[in-house]
Amino acid sequence: MSVELDVFVGNTTIMDEEVYQFWLDGYTVNDAVKVRMEGGVLEEYEASTDVLLSDTMDQFRTFQMCERLLHTPAKLANQLLFQIPPHRQTMLIERYYAFDNAFVREVLGKKLSKGTKKDLDDISAKTGITLKSCRRQFDNFKRVFKVVEELKGPLVENIQQHFLLSDKLARDYAAIVFFANNRFETGKRKLQFLSFQDFAFCAGQLISNWTVGAVDNMVEDMDVDLDKEFLQDLKDLKILINDKDLLDQHKSLVCTALRGKTKVFNEMEANFKTLSRALVNIAAKLTNTKDVRDLFIDLVEKFIEPCRSDRWTSADVRLFLTYYTNSARTLDTFRHQVTWDRYMDVIKSCILKMYHD
Amino acid sequence: MPGKLKAKIVAGRHLPVMDRASDLTDAFVEVKFGNTTFKTDVCPKSLNPQWNSEWFKFEVDDEDLQDEPLQITVLDHDTYSANDAIGKVYIDIDPLLSCEAATVISGWFPIYDTIHGIRGEINVLVKVDLFNDLNRFRQSSCGVKFFCTTSIPKCYRVVMVHGFVEELVVNEDPEYQWIDRIRTPRASNEARQRLISLMSGELQRKIGLKVLEMGGNAVLGYLQCFDLEGESGLVVRAIGTACTLDKLSSLPTAVLPACNSPSREMKEPPFSEDPNPNIHSSGPSTPLKNQTYSFSPSKSYSRQSSSSDTDLSLTPKTGMGSGGSAGKDGGPLKTLLRQQTQSALEQREFPFFTLTCFPPGFLIHVGGVVSARSVKLLDRIHNPALGNTRSYKLLDWNSFTADEPETRDAWWEEIRQEIKSHAKALGCHAVVGYSESTSICEEVCILSASGTAAILNPKFMQEGCLDSYSEHSRLEDPAPPSCGFCHIPYDELNMPFPAHLTYCYNCRRQKVPDVLFTTIDLPVEATVMGKGSLIQARLCRLKKKAQGEVNATAISNLLPFMEYELHTQLMNKLKLRSMNALFGLRVQISVGENMLVGLASATGVYLMALPAPGGIQIAGKTPSDITYEQHISNMQKKINDTISKNKDLYEVHPQEIIEEVIGSPIPESRQRSRLFRSHSESSDEVSELDLSHGKKDAFVLEIDDTDAVEDIHSLLTDAPMPSGFYSCNTEIMPGIYNWTSSLQMFTSVRVFRLNNVNLTNQGLNKIFNDLCENLLKSLYFKLRSMVPCCLCHLNFAVAVPEEELIQVAVTAVAMTFDKEQAQENFKANMEKAIMKVISENEEQLQFPLELCTETPAPQPFSPSKGTGHQDGGGIHTSARATSVDYSSFADRCSTWIELIKLKAQAIRRGSIKTTASQEKGSPLPEGRSRSLRCMRPFPSSTVSVVKMTPLSFLPGTRIIKYLGIINMFFIRETTSLREEGGVSGFLHCFIAEVFAMVRAHVAALGGNAVVSYSMKECVFMENPNKNQAQCLINVSGDAVIFVRESEAEATAAAPQTSSMQNLSGAAEANA
């Protein structure tokens, strides 16, 4: 004896947010039922396991049917199949496009290709996120990437417009697209301490300052590709380390300003040239795509790690970078203030964001 | 040549990819009506094509307009091979033919394919220009309004109820063995969809003709059903109640399109809403009207074939209710009145009413449930017109019993006669809450009909011999109206069955039975204690597999036992809840190959006018054993506990327990059955089963065998509802008045497979019982976020689709309500009191006004006579909703004045509606129109919300316009069942699609809700081995426009509200 068929369809589609989350997380129906039972819904409503099973199956089916629509969220608003109140629609979309930080850290900066998709098994095993959920998240990234890839206009706005996401989530997706496009290395062991939010912040900085869109806002890929001219200009900054006078002058300016203001003054003074060389070299190398990919690993290896080994606090880093940036402007023979500022503003905020344990 | 249909194809969206290479589609559209087809241009390479076509014009007969749907087919253009169909849209243009319903159909329709389901949407505009048809022999009936609603629609008043209309059409089923046919299932399913659409159009037209013939202009409680008889064909049949309706609100309706009015020689609908004044012959229109109101003799609209013999059987009038009962019935005048009514009704072939809700005063007495069943063998159509798409019912149907041709008509005729005679036996002249149904398995068909025998107020029938209205009203209601309908209609000394009578607990003057079973909704005027409760009796009976006549005989032998057992279960469950009346009783018996399944659902209530029910006693038959007695006393204790728990749950606390109930622990043997039924195997033999001969009393349960133990067990295993939930199968839940506006309509379907072949009846019963209980539990769980809420109109449909399958489909609406009941109860009572005052005032007012308009007319009554009552009639469904509609006295005066003006103008042949509202200067119509205007523009970007409910109202809102009937039929099939998520995935998707298509059609008519929605048919078939499944669904309802009550109030003029306040203030002071 068995229930062969069991459906429930409401004129307004009934959805339980908790069950939706189980579905998104890739639970099987039975697992979801188990968790729900432990959650105590049963006692409240004296429902039997059968009731819970039937309810869960029903909702999973509904979500599955909605999934096609969620791939193009704009359709959800003017489709006729499901009558879903607007606030529910927003919830469905937002949750569907939400992702796990653990997962996104694994694929951030990787090419969103079939090859990566094959690795999802490993990622699933590593992060403990179900393969189904991994696939959903990966497909979301890929879908957003494909749609906005060839669009004109600001990246975040495009994402928001096409996927009806909240501002915060749209920014995160912009970061993911940006990282995937430029293939920034984020997977190295040394970068493991950085969270997705750290990278997302950096991506935001890069997008608003270093891309083509920062100068011209009507070109294709404006927020995805870095401004080539700017990268070329960065080579000019080399003068700061190649010109011995300039380097000394810069150092003395910074040291004068910082004396007595920081506990790590001596270490700073000793390392000034190394650090300055590191930052300027990073800038100068950015014309190479390979070196662009290594931007974050370079920042960590060449700047963050030395500072950390000298036990600088973030306040110390902030102080140093502020004066380091500002005093370069006062150098008489330094002619590249604009490029310098455009470079250093981003580097400074990125390093500050990344400077933690 | 009376109509021009115009259609314009605007655009498509979300089309499927038809060309794999380009991932795009080259779509174009074919628009077909009748035999004419137009095509749009191909819109290349787009999934969101913009056709913006010209207006395609079809010049057609209005007969075709009624029968045919507009067919829109979206195709993908293919240069080298045949064009692929993407899908179709069928648009029923009937709503455009009625002058005051929708004027244009415009909106996005889902493009539907029987295999792929919904594939994108298409934006279409449809209009109709109707020309006048002066032909008296015309076959069309445009303009007759159809309502599924089984009460008086909210913005109308009934001028006259004409009575029962029925019709059926038959045809070959294009596909009766869908899997084995040679042509593709898709092709035959499409043919089937189209055919049924055509047949229901034709059916509606024919019913409409009958209505016009009777002088009516509308059909209420329209119930259309399909019988898929397999090899023997397809029957589409419908019943309804013909009425003459008058629009209540004076909304400036959009200019009415030219619409055919009945030709002048025929009776003309008496309303001034007739938009074609030029058709009226000028001069004395009143004498013509006279005809309308006189009751048309039955023959004129009864069907040819069997009416002659039926009349014979009817002629002996028993004069029931006169004679002996006269003294008790409140004087000779009343008797006279009753005789008059009776004769009025008896003239009709079938004094049946499909309505379940009535204006106060309409029902005088209610006798009880009458039902009839008949088992028939279907035989292959002997159809000379094979191949003709439209065959008619007068074809030769060969029945197995007789040599003479027997038509489906005759079968129904026979059943209806039986119902009529049952009603007569109960001393009643009419049957209300009437419905018909069938259950078919292979070649066996059970036809069932049931209703409630009643005595009606003749006022609404407008019999010619009613001399004076005022005299009439003086006669009226010697007893308090709240209990009048409970009083027995039959003669106490000559009771049709043994029943236990007491004096009415309300008025103490007349006799009432101790239990009342009915198929109608609880009358508004009834006073109940506590809340109601859904009560179900469930039963399975095994039956040997057999063929032909043997099978039919076996089934008819089982039927009486099933009915008896269902009845006993209902009675016991009623007692267990300390209630004494059932409303909305619906008994379904479905036949399968090896079993019969019976399901009776009703809403139990405690009627104040009836005596309090006694408890349930258990008696052992062989009280020798001590352990046995202990067992019994345990059981007794459990039952008593359940009863007292239920009393708290439903707030039923009868205060006075009088009379013999206390005295005798085991009441004397009596059976309170009001169920009167019979079944017959063939036409000539009618065997009546009087349940009262049952050996066991409903109160006393004897445990003499295991069966009885099981019975008691199942009685107690009905799971209690979770707190915060109530349920009923009627329109409104007795005892809940303060609905909030949130509601959720749903459909749930379950199919249960019985794998165990060696089942006993008991085992089967338990499985079926659990199936229903679990389904209910699931519903409660699903809807837990709506608590406190009530599941209303819980409609269960059982079927036995295959040998080991039981299918249960439920459609209902969950509505939330406010917890603060006590106060509300009081308020509701207050409102009722106020209403009463108002209606009295009104009645008084109405006569002088009537007189002055009607004086020139020679006839003694006018069509509007009934309206005083009718006005109040709208209230019945929701006491809450009434407060607005009937709140203000001023409002009603104005309506009256308006009506008179309308009449005056009708004589002058002015343009009616518009002028009337302009002159009037009453703030009300403006206010209403404003609110109409402000709700019409829906947000264009998103899909407009369409509410659906099986009820006739939406709480907290007011229905301002009925746009027409929605009656849709879909077939969905699949050859990739597993890939679509199995049977559940398949059906889930299909039901969602059906909802979507209903909503889209309503929205396109300009509506924002469907009321009286029901899923009439859900036939699911599967063949998992072939990975195939198929499902047919038929749904219907009324498309409406509603406005929120708060909005309506806000826009309504201030003086009216204040007058209302004064009134209620006064009433409060009095209290």
Side-chain angles (χ1 to χ4, degrees):
Chain A
M1 264 142 289
S2 55
V3 175
E4 175 110 353
L5 180 158
D6 178 9
V7 296
F8 176 100
V9 189
N11 184 35
T12 307
T13 308
I14 291 187
M15 293 172 178
D16 185 321
E17 292 190 30
E18 190 197 7
V19 183
Y20 186 46
Q21 198 54 54
F22 290 142
W23 179 74
L24 290 174
D25 290 344
Y27 281 61
T28 61
V29 173
N30 287 331
D31 288 348
V33 169
K34 238 177 262 167
V35 181
R36 290 183 83 187
M37 254 157 67
E38 285 155 14
V41 228
L42 276 187
E43 286 127 48
E44 277 174 58
Y45 289 93
E46 302 160 12
S48 66
T49 322
D50 291 346
V51 167
L52 214 49
L53 185 70
S54 143
D55 178 60
T56 313
M57 293 255 264
D58 234 29
Q59 301 214 33
F60 270 45
R61 247 193 330 262
T62 311
F63 299 137
Q64 232 159 337
M65 284 192 265
C66 281
E67 193 166 14
R68 193 176 47 87
L69 298 164
L70 285 166
H71 291 167
T72 37
K75 270 191 192 167
L76 196 66
N78 52 27
Q79 51 87 31
L80 303 175
L81 191 56
F82 297 104
Q83 190 157 273
I84 307 169
H87 69 275
R88 287 254 139 183
Q89 289 181 15
T90 318
M91 184 279 289
L92 283 180
I93 296 167
E94 194 76 5
R95 293 260 190 112
Y96 189 78
Y97 282 90
F99 48 79
D100 290 305
N101 282 327
F103 175 79
V104 72
R105 273 299 276 111
E106 293 297 322
V107 290
L108 193 64
K110 284 188 184 153
K111 204 172 166 188
L112 298 174
S113 65
K114 287 230 169 74
T116 317
K117 199 168 179 181
K118 276 181 193 146
D119 300 338
L120 290 181
D121 291 17
D122 300 338
I123 296 175
S124 166
K126 187 178 165 193
T127 55
I129 299 165
T130 59
L131 185 60
K132 198 175 160 248
S133 178
C134 288
R135 291 222 176 98
R136 185 197 94 238
Q137 300 182 35
F138 184 80
D139 290 342
N140 282 346
F141 296 162
K142 205 170 155 183
R143 194 176 315 113
V144 173
F145 184 87
K146 275 196 128 180
V147 167
V148 295
E149 204 178 17
E150 283 158 18
L151 289 174
K152 290 181 180 174
L155 187 58
V156 178
E157 275 174 42
N158 281 339
I159 293 174
Q160 255 184 308
Q161 201 187 334
H162 280 84
F163 292 92
L164 310 174
L165 301 178
S166 67
D167 187 59
K168 167 84 178 61
L169 197 53
R171 281 180 194 286
D172 285 351
Y173 267 92
I176 292 165
V177 169
F178 184 74
F179 267 65
N181 191 56
N182 291 292
R183 311 269 300 281
F184 288 109
E185 177 60 66
T186 65
K188 287 270 161 57
R189 226 168 55 82
K190 280 183 177 166
L191 293 176
Q192 285 311 308
F193 75 100
L194 292 171
S195 71
F196 168 72
Q197 283 312 323
D198 295 335
F199 285 117
F201 175 82
C202 298
Q205 290 295 311
L206 266 67
I207 290 169
S208 47
N209 293 300
W210 286 7
T211 56
V212 200
V215 203
D216 175 359
N217 58 9
M218 271 327 287
V219 274
E220 235 171 64
D221 285 346
M222 57 173 246
D223 282 349
V224 186
D225 293 339
L226 294 174
D227 184 353
K228 290 265 157 53
E229 272 177 53
F230 165 68
L231 297 181
Q232 206 62 47
D233 292 347
L234 284 177
K235 288 205 160 172
D236 301 337
L237 298 180
K238 276 204 144 181
I239 194 164
L240 279 176
I241 47 169
N242 290 345
D243 186 324
K244 183 105 179 34
D245 287 351
L246 219 49
L247 185 60
D248 287 339
Q249 220 178 338
H250 194 186
K251 181 182 173 183
S252 72
L253 278 172
V254 173
C255 288
T256 323
L258 287 183
R259 192 181 304 274
K261 286 186 181 161
T262 164
K263 283 184 182 161
V264 289
F265 180 75
N266 292 334
E267 291 87 342
M268 187 274 295
E269 196 172 25
N271 283 337
F272 181 85
K273 287 186 179 168
T274 333
L275 293 175
S276 184
R277 267 192 201 111
L279 291 176
V280 174
N281 276 329
I282 291 174
K285 283 196 302 179
L286 283 177
T287 39
N288 290 331
T289 325
K290 169 78 183 71
D291 291 306
V292 171
R293 286 183 196 170
D294 287 340
L295 174 67
F296 294 97
I297 189 96
D298 286 346
L299 284 176
V300 169
E301 279 178 350
K302 309 251 167 70
F303 189 90
I304 293 175
E305 284 185 341
C307 292
R308 202 184 283 150
S309 67
D310 285 341
R311 299 179 184 283
W312 292 28
T313 63
S314 350
D316 295 332
V317 178
R318 177 184 302 277
L319 217 54
F320 171 76
L321 287 175
T322 313
Y323 285 100
Y324 176 75
T325 313
N326 293 348
S327 33
R329 285 186 215 137
T330 53
L331 296 170
D332 309 331
T333 48
F334 184 57
R335 305 254 167 261
H336 308 287
Q337 263 86 359
V338 178
T339 314
W340 175 249
D341 282 352
R342 191 172 169 191
Y343 175 69
M344 275 316 288
D345 282 352
V346 170
I347 289 295
K348 183 181 141 196
S349 41
C350 286
I351 289 177
L352 286 175
K353 185 75 186 174
M354 290 158 73
Y355 198 80
H356 62 76
D357 292 327
Chain B
M1 206 44 263
K4 194 187 264 180
L5 171 68
K6 299 189 289 181
K8 183 186 173 106
I9 308 296
V10 184
R13 68 181 182 195
H14 308 157
L15 293 188
V17 170
M18 297 300 283
D19 181 1
R20 292 256 171 266
S22 64
D23 266 4
L24 287 168
T25 296
D26 306 323
F28 71 101
V29 182
E30 271 181 15
V31 188
K32 188 176 175 196
F33 190 84
N35 296 319
T36 319
T37 307
F38 291 102
K39 279 182 193 174
T40 65
D41 299 333
V42 175
C43 185
K45 303 209 184 311
S46 171
L47 298 183
N48 300 292
Q50 298 288 323
W51 289 288
N52 235 326
S53 77
E54 58 187 304
W55 282 99
F56 299 123
K57 293 178 185 125
F58 302 88
E59 294 185 339
V60 277
D61 281 345
D62 50 0
E63 190 181 337
D64 286 338
L65 279 175
Q66 285 193 291
D67 289 5
E68 300 257 359
L70 180 69
Q71 284 182 62
I72 294 168
T73 314
V74 186
L75 299 116
D76 177 49
H77 176 75
D78 209 325
T79 322
Y80 303 108
S81 60
N83 298 327
D84 295 325
I86 297 174
K88 289 192 168 192
V89 181
Y90 291 96
I91 301 179
D92 178 14
I93 40 175
D94 214 47
L96 295 181
L97 305 179
S98 162
C99 23
E100 59 187 58
T103 51
V104 64
I105 297 177
S106 161
W108 289 99
F109 292 90
I111 302 167
Y112 181 75
D113 178 77
T114 57
I115 288 183
H116 300 98
I118 292 178
R119 306 173 96 187
E121 290 120 37
I122 185 168
N123 196 317
V124 182
L125 264 166
V126 185
K127 286 182 182 175
V128 172
D129 287 341
L130 275 183
F131 312 132
N132 302 324
D133 184 6
L134 303 177
N135 178 6
R136 61 184 298 191
F137 301 111
R138 71 212 177 89
Q139 286 299 300
S140 73
S141 55
C142 294
V144 173
K145 291 181 282 287
F146 285 80
F147 298 88
C148 292
T149 302
T150 57
S151 56
I152 288 126
K154 288 291 150 352
C155 42
Y156 291 92
R157 78 183 112 210
V158 168
V159 176
M160 183 172 163
V161 181
H162 301 277
F164 190 61
V165 279
E166 47 77 37
E167 183 64 82
L168 63 79
V169 292
V170 300
N171 210 317
E172 281 270 277
D173 192 339
E175 184 213 40
Y176 50 86
Q177 288 177 321
W178 62 280
I179 271 165
D180 304 325
R181 274 285 180 110
I182 297 160
R183 71 167 158 181
T184 65
R186 185 179 181 177
S188 55
N189 277 335
E190 249 153 38
R192 215 174 181 188
Q193 278 191 161
R194 212 183 72 86
L195 177 71
I196 291 189
S197 181
L198 251 158
M199 286 169 79
S200 43
E202 180 188 337
L203 191 69
Q204 256 192 50
R205 173 174 59 81
K206 290 187 167 176
I207 292 236
L209 276 172
K210 291 190 174 182
V211 172
L212 290 178
E213 232 172 89
M214 292 162 90
N217 63 1
V219 181
L220 299 184
Y222 185 67
L223 174 74
Q224 184 191 282
C225 295
F226 297 97
D227 296 333
L228 302 165
E229 295 186 350
E231 288 187 34
S232 64
L234 193 100
V235 178
V236 187
R237 58 193 163 77
I239 55 175
T241 306
C243 291
T244 302
L245 291 187
D246 188 9
K247 199 146 200 300
L248 258 187
S249 86
S250 47
L251 274 177
T253 38
V255 180
L256 312 164
C259 166
N260 319 291
S261 73
S263 55
R264 77 200 103 163
E265 284 84 358
M266 288 168 66
K267 289 141 260 174
E268 179 214 314
F271 302 107
S272 28
E273 72 185 24
D274 181 348
N276 266 332
N278 55 332
I279 290 185
H280 290 255
S281 55
S282 51
S285 63
T286 28
L288 277 178
K289 279 188 180 175
N290 195 8
Q291 285 183 23
T292 321
Y293 315 129
S294 67
F295 191 71
S296 27
S298 62
K299 279 296 217 172
S300 68
Y301 55 92
S302 69
R303 208 131 357 71
Q304 57 293 65
S305 60
S306 53
S307 55
S308 52
D309 28 70
T310 58
D311 275 9
L312 279 175
S313 67
L314 284 177
T315 25
K317 286 177 188 168
T318 46
M320 202 68 75
S322 50
S325 63
K328 288 169 191 92
D329 270 343
L333 273 174
K334 187 150 191 194
T335 312
L336 184 76
L337 175 72
R338 183 184 277 191
Q339 277 168 343
Q340 285 169 356
T341 324
Q342 225 159 9
S343 62
L345 279 160
E346 268 166 17
Q347 274 179 29
R348 309 186 178 198
E349 189 177 8
F350 297 115
F352 296 172
F353 300 86
T354 53
L355 303 180
T356 60
C357 272
F358 303 93
F362 187 93
L363 286 175
I364 294 180
H365 300 304
V366 169
V369 170
V370 284
S371 76
R373 283 179 213 286
S374 156
V375 182
K376 298 285 182 192
L377 268 185
L378 303 169
D379 214 347
R380 189 163 176 79
I381 288 184
H382 178 60
N383 189 349
L386 261 182
N388 186 353
T389 40
R390 283 200 218 168
S391 53
Y392 293 92
K393 64 177 181 323
L394 286 176
L395 292 173
D396 204 18
W397 294 80
N398 279 337
S399 153
F400 80 105
T401 45
D403 283 331
E404 84 259 36
E406 191 183 32
T407 65
R408 299 296 186 273
D409 277 325
W411 291 358
W412 286 112
E413 194 96 29
E414 177 190 308
I415 293 226
R416 289 172 193 141
Q417 289 302 344
E418 210 172 306
I419 290 274
K420 192 178 172 182
S421 66
H422 290 332
K424 221 174 223 178
L426 284 172
C428 295
H429 58 204
V431 176
V432 293
Y434 180 73
S435 66
E436 295 175 346
S437 62
T438 57
S439 169
I440 297 171
C441 173
E442 307 274 281
E443 78 241 298
V444 179
C445 173
I446 304 182
L447 311 183
S448 316
S450 73
T452 304
I455 292 181
L456 306 180
N457 192 328
K459 258 196 297 185
F460 296 88
M461 309 302 141
Q462 299 284 6
E463 229 282 330
C465 56
L466 290 178
D467 31 11
S468 144
Y469 201 88
S470 49
E471 185 200 357
H472 186 178
S473 62
R474 232 188 298 126
L475 279 176
E476 217 179 8
D477 295 339
S482 72
C483 60
F485 76 94
C486 303
H487 302 158
I488 51 163
Y490 37 86
D491 179 2
E492 196 190 339
L493 301 171
N494 191 13
M495 283 193 294
F497 47 82
H500 184 255
L501 303 179
T502 48
Y503 278 105
C504 172
Y505 277 55
N506 192 12
C507 65
R508 299 264 163 212
R509 268 185 280 178
Q510 298 196 33
K511 292 288 178 83
V512 293
D514 55 351
V515 176
L516 188 61
F517 282 15
T518 72
T519 58
I520 54 170
D521 279 322
L522 185 71
V524 220
E525 64 261 38
T527 43
V528 297
M529 184 192 286
K531 300 200 169 57
S533 159
L534 177 78
I535 294 179
Q536 282 194 323
R538 301 146 187 155
L539 186 67
C540 283
R541 275 293 171 108
L542 289 167
K543 148 186 112 56
K544 283 214 178 74
K545 272 197 213 170
Q547 296 292 317
E549 208 166 329
V550 182
N551 194 21
T553 316
I555 293 170
S556 16
N557 288 341
L558 272 174
L559 283 180
F561 295 101
M562 293 194 66
E563 298 227 29
Y564 175 78
E565 233 172 279
L566 286 172
H567 178 260
T568 313
Q569 268 191 41
L570 281 178
M571 194 63 104
N572 288 337
K573 289 187 177 179
L574 188 67
K575 299 284 178 212
L576 207 58
R577 286 167 176 80
S578 295
M579 294 173 181
N580 56 18
L582 286 181
F583 288 90
L585 177 64
R586 190 163 168 261
V587 182
Q588 264 184 290
I589 293 186
S590 302
V591 58
E593 257 176 77
N594 61 344
M595 65 171 132
L596 288 170
V597 182
L599 180 68
S601 311
T603 301
V605 294
Y606 183 90
L607 279 179
M608 297 293 275
L610 301 190
I616 295 176
Q617 290 281 337
I618 296 181
K621 225 177 188 179
T622 47
S624 49
D625 200 346
I626 294 176
T627 51
Y628 185 66
E629 284 195 348
Q630 199 144 29
H631 177 65
I632 288 181
S633 71
N634 273 343
M635 206 90 92
Q636 181 69 58
K637 193 172 168 297
K638 263 194 206 162
I639 288 182
N640 292 345
D641 287 351
T642 317
I643 291 181
S644 63
K645 240 187 270 165
N646 279 335
K647 279 186 177 174
D648 289 337
L649 181 60
Y650 301 113
E651 296 159 30
V652 176
H653 295 285
Q655 281 144 11
E656 0 117 59
I657 296 170
I658 344 164
E659 293 185 309
E660 70 287 306
V661 182
I662 293 167
S664 58
I666 302 172
E668 69 276 22
S669 183
R670 51 187 140 106
Q671 177 70 34
R672 294 97 234 259
S673 151
R674 327 256 84 204
L675 263 176
F676 225 91
R677 69 209 111 171
S678 71
H679 64 104
S680 58
E681 188 187 314
S682 59
S683 51
D684 35 22
E685 187 223 355
V686 175
S687 74
E688 294 206 355
L689 172 83
D690 189 345
L691 291 173
S692 56
H693 298 318
K695 59 177 170 26
K696 294 191 182 83
D697 188 283
F699 283 144
V700 188
L701 296 170
E702 284 188 358
I703 311 181
D704 48 356
D705 55 13
T706 42
D707 282 22
V709 175
E710 288 280 340
D711 285 351
I712 293 173
H713 200 71
S714 70
L715 194 63
L716 292 170
T717 48
D718 265 14
M721 283 176 300
S723 67
F725 273 108
Y726 291 95
S727 56
C728 63
N729 76 334
T730 44
E731 280 259 305
I732 40 154
M733 176 68 168
I736 297 178
Y737 303 101
N738 41 352
W739 301 108
T740 44
S741 57
S742 120
L743 76 155
Q744 168 71 280
M745 190 283 294
F746 60 85
T747 290
S748 184
V749 181
R750 277 192 188 185
V751 176
F752 203 81
R753 183 175 286 281
L754 312 160
N755 293 327
N756 193 343
V757 192
N758 303 317
L759 273 174
T760 56
N761 275 334
Q762 275 78 27
L764 211 55
N765 277 347
K766 188 170 180 314
I767 289 169
F768 181 46
N769 204 40
D770 288 350
L771 174 60
C772 294
E773 282 295 323
N774 287 337
L775 186 50
L776 280 171
K777 271 188 211 161
S778 272
L779 298 181
Y780 295 138
F781 182 75
K782 282 266 182 206
L783 301 161
R784 64 193 184 283
S785 63
M786 295 182 78
V787 158
C789 93
C790 178
L791 304 188
C792 292
H793 217 285
L794 260 173
N795 186 1
F796 276 65
V798 285
V800 191
E802 270 171 56
E803 200 173 316
E804 288 181 330
L805 298 183
I806 300 181
Q807 176 190 318
V808 180
V810 184
T811 299
V813 64
M815 302 204 292
T816 55
F817 61 89
D818 243 337
K819 261 267 164 80
E820 276 83 64
Q821 280 276 306
Q823 203 191 346
E824 285 297 327
N825 261 338
F826 173 69
K827 257 203 208 156
N829 287 340
M830 286 311 288
E831 273 168 14
K832 271 191 191 172
I834 295 163
M835 265 151 39
K836 221 173 142 189
V837 171
I838 290 169
S839 67
E840 271 165 24
N841 282 342
E842 204 191 30
E843 243 164 289
Q844 284 159 11
L845 178 79
Q846 169 184 338
F847 301 115
L849 287 175
E850 272 299 306
L851 279 176
C852 54
T853 44
E854 292 295 337
T855 30
Q859 79 271 34
F861 56 86
S862 85
S864 9
K865 280 278 159 69
T867 35
H869 266 261
Q870 221 41 63
D871 251 12
I875 2 171
H876 49 285
T877 29
S878 138
R880 293 281 302 159
T882 52
S883 56
V884 169
D885 275 290
Y886 299 96
S887 54
S888 103
F889 179 56
D891 181 3
R892 292 223 257 168
C893 280
S894 67
T895 327
W896 268 107
I897 291 162
E898 186 189 38
L899 189 81
I900 291 157
K901 279 183 184 163
L902 289 177
K903 274 186 190 155
Q905 285 184 354
I907 294 165
R908 273 186 271 124
R909 315 267 161 267
S911 137
I912 304 127
K913 282 265 143 114
T914 38
T915 358
S917 54
Q918 275 161 14
E919 295 180 358
K920 207 161 62 113
S922 145
L924 191 68
E926 284 164 44
R928 280 182 187 157
S929 64
R930 203 182 312 139
S931 64
L932 172 66
R933 235 176 289 132
C934 62
M935 55 133 310
R936 269 312 275 279
F938 293 114
S940 53
S941 58
T942 53
V943 181
S944 57
V945 173
V946 175
K947 295 200 174 196
M948 290 166 79
T949 175
L951 306 179
S952 64
F953 68 102
L954 291 146
T957 65
R958 185 203 298 194
I959 293 170
I960 53 165
K961 195 169 181 187
Y962 282 79
L963 299 163
I965 197 168
I966 296 282
N967 188 358
M968 299 168 96
F969 178 85
F970 299 104
I971 303 178
R972 181 86 143 82
E973 64 194 311
T974 183
T975 49
S976 52
L977 188 58
R978 276 187 293 276
E979 295 78 356
E980 287 181 42
V983 283
S984 297
F986 171 69
L987 192 63
H988 191 143
C989 187
F990 185 36
I991 295 175
E993 284 171 342
V994 170
F995 285 3
M997 287 183 277
V998 169
R999 288 193 301 257
H1001 277 80
V1002 172
L1005 288 169
N1008 55 5
V1010 187
V1011 296
S1012 300
Y1013 168 83
S1014 72
M1015 187 166 85
K1016 303 258 194 52
E1017 205 84 58
C1018 177
V1019 185
F1020 178 78
M1021 293 169 280
E1022 58 167 328
N1023 189 341
N1025 298 331
K1026 285 189 180 171
N1027 205 19
Q1028 289 172 326
Q1030 165 162 304
C1031 187
L1032 294 87
I1033 288 184
N1034 174 219
V1035 295
S1036 65
D1038 294 326
V1040 299
I1041 301 176
F1042 71 84
V1043 287
R1044 294 238 156 266
E1045 209 138 75
S1046 47
E1047 285 170 35
E1049 259 163 21
T1051 46
Q1056 279 165 15
T1057 1
S1058 67
S1059 81
M1060 166 58 184
Q1061 278 159 359
N1062 289 343
L1063 264 176
S1064 55
E1068 256 152 25
N1070 288 340

